[in-house]
């Protein structure tokens, strides 16, 4: 039996730490690579040719491409990610508002619209007061609107 058998206790402790460190750094690099690819596609200010160039650079020379991208464009990666998260949150909030309203506008929206109409001079102070009372009572002014749609009742 001339072949050597390597057992677990033949692997030194520092070797295990070194292996874990290298594995961790490799995983970090893969995560960074995917974040950079996501950032390349997310950036609306970059032309298609620039996106293609960065992708080719990051795929053909992966380590160098990732490091150069982080140096050249890394400062704004966080800003683009925050802007995208804020846009998603605002879109979600508007969806919730639309869904909760059940397709009709809220009383705050109605009052703001009435105020704009009054400021333009399309309705009088008395018509504004009556429409505001209807909105606060839970009825839309358009429910009681006359043929002109100004809030005058035909009853």
């Amino acid at each position: 039996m001339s072949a050597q058998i390597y057992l677990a206790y033949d692997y030194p402790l520092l070797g295990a730490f070194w292996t874990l460190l290298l594995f961790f750094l490799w995983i970090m690099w893969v995560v960074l690579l995917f974040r950079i690819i996501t950032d390349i596609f997310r950036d609306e200010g970059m032309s298609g040719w620039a996106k293609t160039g960065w992708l080719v650079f990051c795929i053909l020379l992966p380590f160098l491409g990732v490091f150069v991208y982080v140096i050249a464009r890394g400062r704004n990666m966080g800003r683009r990610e925050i802007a995208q998260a804020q846009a998603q949150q605002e879109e979600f909030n508007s969806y919730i508002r639309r869904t909760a309203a059940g397709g009709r506008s809220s009383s705050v929206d109605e009052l703001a619209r009435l105020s704009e109409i009054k400021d333009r001079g399309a309705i009088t102070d008395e018509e504004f007061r009556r429409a505001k009372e209807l909105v606060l009572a839970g009825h839309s002014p358009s429910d009681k609107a006359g043929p002109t749609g100004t809030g005058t009742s035909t009853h």
Side-chain angles (χ1 to χ4, degrees):
M1 230 167 129
S2 63
Q4 292 182 346
I5 299 175
Y6 290 104
L7 300 174
Y9 59 83
D10 289 336
Y11 195 64
L13 183 62
L14 287 177
F17 285 143
W18 180 250
T19 302
L20 287 174
L21 177 67
L22 289 178
F23 184 71
F24 176 73
L25 289 175
W26 182 77
I27 294 294
M28 265 184 27
W29 177 81
V30 169
V31 168
L32 184 60
L33 177 66
F34 283 113
R35 287 196 58 174
I36 286 174
I37 290 172
T38 302
D39 186 63
I40 289 171
F41 284 110
R42 179 182 295 147
D43 190 4
E44 295 176 1
M46 195 186 314
S47 71
W49 287 106
K51 289 179 183 184
T52 303
W54 278 113
L55 281 174
V56 167
F57 189 39
C58 286
I59 290 172
L60 293 181
L61 300 170
F63 288 107
L64 183 63
V66 166
F67 294 136
V68 170
Y69 188 87
V70 169
I71 291 169
R73 300 182 45 85
R75 174 178 290 165
N76 293 326
M77 279 178 67
R79 292 181 187 139
R80 283 188 290 273
E81 189 170 343
I82 289 171
Q84 192 255 353
Q86 287 172 341
Q88 278 184 337
Q89 184 66 40
E90 182 56 38
E91 185 178 323
F92 177 74
N93 289 344
S94 67
Y95 170 75
I96 293 296
R97 277 188 234 109
R98 283 191 319 268
T99 304
R104 58 185 174 92
S105 59
S106 69
S107 59
V108 175
D109 294 335
E110 291 282 338
L111 289 173
R113 197 169 12 172
L114 280 171
S115 179
E116 290 174 13
I117 293 171
K118 180 182 164 234
D119 291 343
R120 284 187 304 209
I123 59 174
T124 65
D125 289 337
E126 179 62 26
E127 291 172 327
F128 174 75
R129 185 187 60 75
R130 283 186 292 180
K132 184 171 86 170
E133 288 173 1
L134 286 173
V135 168
L136 293 176
H139 304 295
S140 173
S142 59
D143 294 344
K144 302 287 183 186
T148 59
T150 59
T152 57
S153 178
T154 58
H155 299 267

